[in-house]
Amino acid sequence: MDLGVSLWAAFELSTLPQQVVNGLLLGAIYALIALGYTMVYGVLRLINFAHGEVFMLGAYTALFASWFLGYGKGSSLETSGPLNLMILLIASMCVCGIVGVAIERFAYRPMRSQPRIAALITAIGVSLLIQYGGALVLPIAPPPSINEKVNPYRGVVTMNLVGGDPQLLEGYEKAKIEFETTEKAWTEARASKQPDDVVRALRDKKNDADRTMGDLQRRMDNSGVKIRIPQGQLIMFGTTIVLMIMLTYLVMFTAVGRAMRAVSHDFDSASLMGINVGKIVTITFLIGSMLAGAGAMMNATFLGTPLTTFFGVMPGVKAFVAAVLGGIGNIPGAVLGGFLMGIAETAVIWAGYGQYKDAIAFIVLIVVLLFRPGGLLGSAKVEKV
Amino acid sequence: MKFFAVRAGSIALAVAACFALQSFAIGKGDLVFRLVFLAGLYVTLAVSLNLINGITGQFSIGHAAFYMVGAYGAGYTANNYAGSWGLKGPLLMLVLLLIGAVVAAVAGLVVGLPSLRLRGDYLAVVTLGFGEIIRIFVQNSPPLGGAYGLTVDAQFKFKYVWMVWLLAILCIAVCRNLLKTAHGLPFLAVREDEIASSAMGVNVTRVKVTAFVIGSAFAGAAGAMLANFDGFISPTSFPMELSFTILTMVVLGGTGSITGSALAGGVLFYIPEYLRDLKPVSGSSLVAAVIAVIAAVYVVKRIADHYHGDKGKRAALYLGTIIAGVVLQIILAAVFKNVPSLANANFEASKLRMVIFSSTLIILMLLRPQGVFAHHEFSWSWIQRLLGKKVPTTAVSV
Amino acid sequence: MSLLHLDKATIKFGGLIAVNEVSFEIKPGQLFGLIGPNGAGKTTCFNLITGVYKPTSGSIKFEGREISGTPSNKIAHLGIARTFQNIRLFGALSVLENVVVGGFLRHHTGLGSAIAYLPPAIKETDELKQEAMRLLEVVDLAHVANVRSRDLSYGMQRRLEIARAMATQPKLLLLDEPAAGMNPQEKMDLTGTVRRIRDEHDKTVLLIEHDMRFVMELCENIVVLDHGEEIAQGPPSEIRNDPKVIEAYLGEAV
Ligand SMILES: Nc1ncnc2c1ncn2[C@@H]1O[C@H](COP(=O)(O)OP(=O)(O)O)[C@@H](O)[C@H]1O
Ligand SMILES: [Mg+2]
């Protein structure tokens, strides 16, 4: 990495808002997946390693649903509409919900009375089984991706936060005219076989004008501040926020949510108080997995990421780190952690260290945990003695 | 005097056995030779992680990182410095091994110290993250070969199966000796209850760091052996799954049991290797096997949960279930042969190996979560008790 | 000179003042009682003395030396040992091993000697085990020395807690509700054991107990806490008739 270049990139401040937006967009997806980790951890104190695989299956569900709707590889259909997107979304969420609940029922529930490490190993086992077992039956080579025609929102929204400097614009217009006239003169001079030194002088003049124009253009771009967001990502962000609001409502203001919080606070007492703990755990897995399904569908559709059965590993790990960063078991913490993670990752890429983007998640995590061992919003529980 | 005679004798015996193993393995072709080597490595890795995880109770899931640090430490040193030392053969390998151990021990200290404030799952995530950070940095470090990997100079390639097995034995001996003396108790006590340990005067910080340092030193030494055996290492040789595999060995063997970790380390790594050269499996027998396994596991689990009769009868029931499972698989496979879409699908065994590996893991956890050996250690009196003999338990040592 | 001296020791958990300016002095050889209703802050006092928590303000002196803020394990080395109200044994370890952990703080062989399994470490281990066996006899647990401690009955676990604490050879022994959950017969036996510990083993004992009869019979000096405040201090005869104490224990026959 050339340090000069990276520093130059890092100081390109006019792109800061764009980078923040990119970070938030990325973070929203992490946050959505992180919610699943944190909710499960909240009630069961279990790191659900298979959550990333649920996410992966959600993406495949969206793929199959799109094929079912006729958007296969060489599809001759026109660009689809919002209805199809809804179908994909609902399919993904349903399948993920079912898978999540099944994993809990058949793999985790029998482990509930066992030491936590045994449950964790089971979780790792389930995760590996879905990755490799999935590879036997799901299409992986070449990695398929959802036909881009499924997504009707392929435009880019551009927002001008600050316009360019008017003086620069004026200068730019002048330089442009200068360039056009000199270029014309030069072309004509060459065509009419004028003496070499005249042609050369005109050419130098043209090149000077060109350089001035380019220089002004760059200064103009840097003086203005704009943000460009692909429409699809904007929708993704909006949906994520809506889902988070719905989740907050559910957890804070409904009977089920209250029961969830009770179980999370104290599993044993909650069951003594007559809460059907088994049901609450099932609901927790259902909701967490459905959120992952939504994230997966949007990721696969709007970003068109190619799918393999390892598709969920990295987002899963990072979302998990985000959950821990925010304080695992804490719902607002997961959202905060997700956004921070997205921004940190974008910042690293922006500074020109893109190859370290997968490491930054952990570096941020370790630094935060050193100062706040319970995560940002979590409290490191002091054990009562 | 007798003490030292016995000690010298057993050391001599261990060394002789390792050399015998080397000469046995060398006659069996390259593949077997490497497998015997790897078995020794995995025993070391599993037993060393057991010290951190099983004995001291520190939930580390990034053991491969220390292995990697040791491998790169030794490989890099060999390439850049070892040429001028004038050492050769086993002695040079020994020095490189020590370098791998020291570098990894330092890494263990670096991870161990700040992690002490963290408990349980948080520690787990930090160890996992440490592994990832190391891997990504190696991937981007040109002196270490980056993503392409590091080729160790041919002159530093040592095919010492005996040495890796001596390392494994040493690792087992260190853990066993620790637990045989009172010095091992603070480690176990920290696992059981940190606050009570502290109230009994145990320096919890020191115990944890010691476990991390010793455990990672052995992993690092194993890494050094690998680098110089294969002559090539790359970041992809140390993926996150490797850490999971080692952890699995510890848990399957029985958390805290040295015997269990050692056996699981030696056996478990071999399952995927073995499955690598199995012939392709047809879809019909695969589906039949899946159904049969699920059915058998379900029945075994029910027996385990609900049948509390005498041990012999229970064992007979288990055996019956397994036989029934095998029969069911054969019948179903024959039936499914008539389903063309199943019969015509073929699955290469190499693709099945991780599937089988992970299913085994889940099934074992469902049926025997305390691990195969639970907390038991191999000893003659334990074997006798297992066979139903009444051996006075008061003789059990600390 | 006093062995332990709390001077206006205070600790706050958020808004809750769990222990508020509590002061008392324990002389060597005393059998000292700490009583009060549930949640009065008794266990928290123990936690302050043994370094589990650091006091928000005030001082705690042991043999004239300030110990507030010293880590638990150092305090154990100085000569204070405790038992826990909510039993905290090393569940997977045998009864004997639990006691050896207590005695281990006086070890003098190095880790290297243990790892190499050299005679000094082996010999030390044997000595520690023998010593532990003797302590198990004191609390009448020698017959279950090799049983896993989590498999013991409740009363036995409580006694094992005492043996484990005794193994550190403390000058001051803190017992947190040692009789909780015991039947009358077991309590009687325990009274005898505690007396013997003080008289024959030469310990100073500070004990928390809920059972008034037990405390009144056993202790020579008593401090009463209520809501973190010290409301009375003195010999049992005075405490028995103190109106504040009677009020705190509303209705209970003191
Ligand atoms: N670590 C802690 N965090 C918050 N509150 C605590 C903590 N430890 C004790 N408390 C509170 O301090 C008060 C005194 O508790 P404790 O000392 O255990 O009472 P007791 O006299 O019954 O032993 C209680 O209200 C308890 O909830
Ligand atoms: Mg108490």
Side-chain angles (χ1 to χ4, degrees):
Chain A
M1 191 72 247
D2 179 355
L3 195 65
V5 172
S6 69
L7 281 181
W8 179 79
F11 287 112
E12 191 85 82
L13 279 179
S14 65
T15 61
L16 181 64
Q18 174 77 52
Q19 298 305 331
V20 172
V21 167
N22 288 353
L24 291 175
L25 291 172
L26 184 64
I29 288 291
Y30 289 153
L32 205 54
I33 313 175
L35 284 170
Y37 279 109
T38 233
M39 288 168 67
V40 168
Y41 190 90
V43 297
L44 285 185
R45 302 284 179 272
L46 167 75
I47 302 174
N48 179 12
F49 266 99
H51 193 59
E53 277 54 60
V54 171
F55 178 79
M56 176 274 284
L57 291 177
Y60 268 98
T61 307
L63 177 74
F64 293 142
S66 74
W67 286 357
F68 180 78
L69 292 173
Y71 290 93
K73 212 173 187 165
S75 165
S76 54
L77 288 177
E78 287 301 301
T79 292
S80 93
L83 180 67
N84 282 345
L85 289 182
M86 277 319 278
I87 294 175
L88 259 59
L89 183 69
I90 290 169
S92 283
M93 289 176 77
C94 289
V95 169
C96 286
I98 293 168
V99 171
V101 170
I103 292 175
E104 191 274 324
R105 176 65 192 79
F106 295 110
Y108 299 158
R109 190 165 296 185
M111 304 306 295
R112 203 167 295 158
S113 56
Q114 301 302 339
R116 282 173 51 201
I117 187 162
L120 193 93
I121 298 279
T122 312
I124 292 174
V126 171
S127 158
L128 292 177
L129 181 64
I130 299 180
Q131 281 167 25
Y132 289 94
L136 292 179
V137 289
L138 295 173
I140 45 168
S145 51
I146 291 186
N147 191 323
E148 64 166 13
K149 281 196 220 150
V150 176
N151 172 17
Y153 308 105
R154 278 168 303 193
V156 174
V157 180
T158 307
M159 279 182 272
N160 273 312
L161 293 188
V162 180
D165 185 339
Q167 270 183 340
L168 287 172
L169 186 67
E170 207 174 293
Y172 174 75
E173 294 298 342
K174 263 193 209 146
K176 197 171 165 193
I177 294 168
E178 166 84 5
F179 170 71
E180 277 160 8
T181 41
T182 47
E183 188 182 33
K184 205 164 144 215
W186 173 61
T187 323
E188 273 166 12
R190 254 196 333 180
S192 55
K193 300 252 180 320
Q194 301 244 349
D196 270 2
D197 50 341
V198 176
V199 173
R200 211 174 296 136
L202 278 170
R203 188 196 63 198
D204 289 349
K205 224 171 149 193
K206 176 213 73 159
N207 284 350
D208 280 349
D210 190 10
R211 218 168 293 132
T212 318
M213 193 175 73
D215 187 39
L216 281 168
Q217 161 129 47
R218 197 165 56 238
R219 279 168 62 191
M220 205 166 59
D221 278 353
N222 286 348
S223 75
V225 179
K226 5 181 188 328
I227 302 176
R228 295 159 49 84
I229 310 173
Q231 285 173 354
Q233 290 203 30
L234 208 55
I235 294 173
M236 215 156 126
F237 189 78
T239 313
T240 306
I241 299 296
V242 170
L243 287 171
M244 284 173 187
I245 292 171
M246 283 163 64
L247 179 73
T248 310
Y249 175 79
L250 181 106
V251 172
M252 299 309 295
F253 302 109
T254 64
V256 169
R258 214 166 15 250
M260 269 163 101
R261 281 182 287 142
V263 174
S264 166
H265 186 73
D266 189 333
F267 195 92
D268 297 323
S269 309
S271 70
L272 288 177
M273 303 310 272
I275 292 174
N276 183 342
V277 174
K279 194 178 98 188
I280 293 303
V281 171
T282 304
I283 294 176
T284 305
F285 269 85
L286 183 74
I287 296 173
S289 307
M290 284 172 77
L291 293 178
M297 174 269 167
M298 296 192 287
N299 198 315
T301 312
F302 296 129
L303 306 183
T305 323
L307 305 183
T308 71
T309 51
F310 301 100
F311 176 65
V313 176
M314 254 316 163
V317 167
K318 284 185 196 161
F320 170 55
V321 170
V324 177
L325 186 63
I328 193 154
N330 181 311
I331 289 180
V335 175
L336 177 67
F339 281 126
L340 275 182
M341 201 64 100
I343 288 173
E345 202 172 314
T346 319
V348 170
I349 298 172
W350 185 41
Y353 293 97
Q355 70 271 41
Y356 293 109
K357 76 183 168 65
D358 292 339
I360 190 67
F362 292 107
I363 295 176
V364 170
L365 175 80
I366 291 174
V367 171
V368 168
L369 286 187
L370 287 185
F371 293 100
R372 284 195 63 89
L376 288 173
L377 300 188
S379 53
K381 278 211 181 104
V382 182
E383 209 177 335
K384 275 198 191 174
V385 180
Chain B
M1 215 54 244
K2 183 173 164 240
F3 174 87
F4 288 104
V6 172
R7 179 57 59 91
S10 36
I11 292 174
L13 198 67
V15 174
C18 290
F19 276 102
L21 188 66
Q22 163 112 4
S23 49
F24 158 81
I26 215 158
K28 301 277 178 201
D30 280 354
L31 188 67
V32 174
F33 190 67
R34 184 156 190 276
L35 285 182
V36 174
F37 173 82
L38 285 180
L41 271 192
Y42 278 94
V43 170
T44 313
L45 288 173
V47 174
S48 60
L49 180 61
N50 184 48
L51 176 64
I52 300 174
N53 234 314
I55 294 174
T56 320
Q58 299 308 298
F59 201 0
S60 162
I61 52 176
H63 208 49
F66 301 119
Y67 181 44
M68 180 176 191
V69 167
Y72 272 93
Y76 182 80
T77 312
N79 280 354
N80 294 282
Y81 305 106
S84 59
W85 291 343
L87 292 175
K88 273 212 281 295
L91 201 57
L92 178 55
M93 184 61 239
L94 186 66
V95 174
L96 289 173
L97 183 143
L98 288 176
I99 286 170
V102 169
V103 178
V106 171
L109 194 67
V110 169
V111 181
L113 270 180
S115 306
L116 293 168
R117 292 181 62 194
L118 306 173
R119 296 226 169 127
D121 303 326
Y122 285 90
L123 176 62
V125 185
V126 167
T127 53
L128 180 86
F130 174 71
E132 285 303 283
I133 293 172
I134 294 273
R135 204 163 51 79
I136 292 166
F137 274 85
V138 169
Q139 229 157 40
N140 292 293
S141 157
L144 295 177
Y148 300 109
L150 181 72
T151 306
V152 179
D153 253 26
Q155 54 168 322
F156 305 119
K157 269 177 84 168
F158 300 116
K159 303 273 181 192
Y160 295 150
V161 161
W162 61 272
M163 198 185 268
V164 82
W165 275 98
L166 268 184
L167 179 68
I169 291 173
L170 181 69
C171 185
I172 294 172
V174 163
C175 293
R176 174 194 159 277
N177 292 347
L178 193 62
L179 292 191
K180 277 231 153 196
T181 58
H183 278 270
L185 288 172
F187 290 79
L188 296 165
V190 165
R191 175 187 79 188
E192 296 294 311
D193 190 326
E194 287 185 20
I195 288 174
S197 304
S198 204
M200 293 305 123
V202 173
N203 185 339
V204 174
T205 308
R206 195 154 81 204
V207 166
K208 287 186 190 174
V209 171
T210 308
F212 258 105
V213 167
I214 298 178
S216 22
F218 274 105
M225 292 299 307
L226 177 81
N228 295 284
F229 186 91
D230 283 351
F232 174 75
I233 42 175
S234 83
T236 51
S237 330
F238 309 91
M240 218 188 288
E241 282 101 76
L242 182 62
S243 292
F244 291 164
T245 309
I246 306 170
L247 177 67
T248 303
M249 291 167 175
V250 172
V251 176
L252 282 188
T255 306
S257 164
I258 303 169
T259 318
S261 314
L263 288 181
V267 172
L268 212 63
F269 96 95
Y270 182 63
I271 295 176
E273 299 290 333
Y274 169 76
L275 294 169
R276 211 188 280 279
D277 8 272
L278 225 59
K279 57 183 194 305
V281 180
S282 76
S284 47
S285 46
L286 184 65
V287 173
V290 169
I291 296 174
V293 166
I294 290 175
V297 167
Y298 178 76
V299 175
V300 168
K301 176 88 183 148
R302 288 206 59 110
I303 296 172
D305 289 350
H306 298 286
Y307 185 85
H308 301 295
D310 103 1
K311 265 190 181 170
K313 276 194 196 141
R314 196 157 66 171
L317 280 177
Y318 287 152
L319 195 65
T321 313
I322 292 167
I323 294 171
V326 174
V327 173
L328 181 67
Q329 196 272 340
I330 295 170
I331 297 173
L332 285 178
V335 174
F336 290 146
K337 270 235 154 48
N338 304 316
V339 184
S341 60
L342 280 183
N344 297 336
N346 263 318
F347 295 100
E348 280 168 46
S350 66
K351 287 193 180 138
L352 283 176
R353 64 198 188 97
M354 283 308 287
V355 177
I356 297 178
F357 181 79
S358 50
S359 332
T360 314
L361 201 63
I362 299 171
I363 293 169
L364 264 167
M365 282 296 111
L366 285 176
L367 299 181
R368 199 173 160 82
Q370 69 274 48
V372 175
F373 276 76
H375 57 276
H376 299 291
E377 291 296 350
F378 175 83
S379 71
W380 293 116
S381 63
W382 180 64
I383 297 284
Q384 283 176 322
R385 266 201 310 284
L386 210 60
L387 296 175
K389 291 222 180 76
K390 287 249 180 303
V391 178
T393 49
T394 39
V396 176
S397 65
V398 167
Chain C
M1 193 189 72
S2 62
L3 185 65
L4 182 74
H5 184 179
L6 267 74
D7 188 16
K8 296 192 175 162
T10 303
I11 185 168
K12 297 180 190 160
F13 295 113
L16 176 85
I17 308 179
V19 173
N20 194 5
E21 305 210 334
V22 168
S23 309
F24 58 84
E25 265 184 70
I26 302 178
K27 302 239 152 48
Q30 264 185 326
L31 244 168
F32 206 98
L34 184 57
I35 65 172
N38 248 324
K42 306 179 297 287
T43 300
T44 308
C45 267
F46 271 24
N47 288 337
L48 290 177
I49 298 168
T50 56
V52 177
Y53 303 139
K54 188 175 189 282
T56 320
S57 64
S59 98
I60 302 173
K61 288 204 174 82
F62 182 66
E63 296 187 308
R65 188 179 149 177
E66 184 63 46
I67 56 166
S68 60
T70 311
S72 281
N73 62 311
K74 293 240 173 74
I75 289 181
H77 279 270
L78 291 177
I80 304 181
R82 72 178 288 185
T83 67
F84 294 90
Q85 178 182 357
N86 48 344
I87 298 172
R88 283 177 165 268
L89 290 171
F90 307 122
L93 303 194
S94 75
V95 169
L96 185 70
E97 287 168 339
N98 266 278
V99 182
V100 175
V101 174
F104 187 73
L105 88 179
R106 279 172 285 106
H107 76 274
H108 42 258
T109 62
L111 187 66
S113 168
I115 282 176
Y117 203 54
L118 294 179
I122 302 172
K123 188 158 156 267
E124 188 179 58
T125 303
D126 284 341
E127 286 164 5
L128 285 170
K129 278 200 270 181
Q130 279 160 18
E131 198 185 293
M133 251 352 243
R134 282 196 293 276
L135 276 171
L136 285 179
E137 270 152 25
V138 173
V139 295
D140 193 22
L141 287 173
H143 60 292
V144 287
N146 290 301
V147 174
R148 258 202 322 194
S149 64
R150 74 160 66 101
D151 299 335
L152 291 184
S153 75
Y154 197 72
M156 284 178 161
Q157 292 196 355
R158 288 230 169 273
R159 267 149 43 208
L160 177 54
E161 281 251 350
I162 297 176
R164 185 178 67 175
M166 289 281 290
T168 65
Q169 297 191 354
K171 294 172 187 137
L172 174 64
L173 182 63
L174 311 183
L175 304 176
D176 198 343
E177 306 207 9
M182 288 187 173
N183 62 36
Q185 179 57 46
E186 283 176 317
K187 279 186 189 174
M188 281 270 283
D189 295 346
L190 184 68
T191 318
T193 309
V194 174
R195 280 228 174 82
R196 229 170 331 127
I197 286 172
R198 198 267 304 262
D199 299 340
E200 291 169 22
H201 294 261
D202 231 6
K203 307 282 180 223
T204 310
V205 179
L206 169 61
L207 78 88
I208 295 176
E209 191 41 66
H210 236 76
D211 185 324
M212 280 305 136
R213 191 127 41 94
F214 187 89
V215 185
M216 295 295 171
E217 195 184 312
L218 199 58
C219 298
E220 295 136 4
N221 222 318
I222 295 174
V223 170
V224 189
L225 296 186
D226 187 24
H227 290 108
E229 311 267 354
E230 181 184 324
I231 56 170
Q233 192 172 155
S237 53
E238 277 175 30
I239 297 295
R240 215 187 298 267
N241 301 316
D242 192 306
K244 277 202 210 141
V245 178
I246 295 172
E247 194 187 332
Y249 276 92
L250 204 67
E252 259 184 72
V254 176

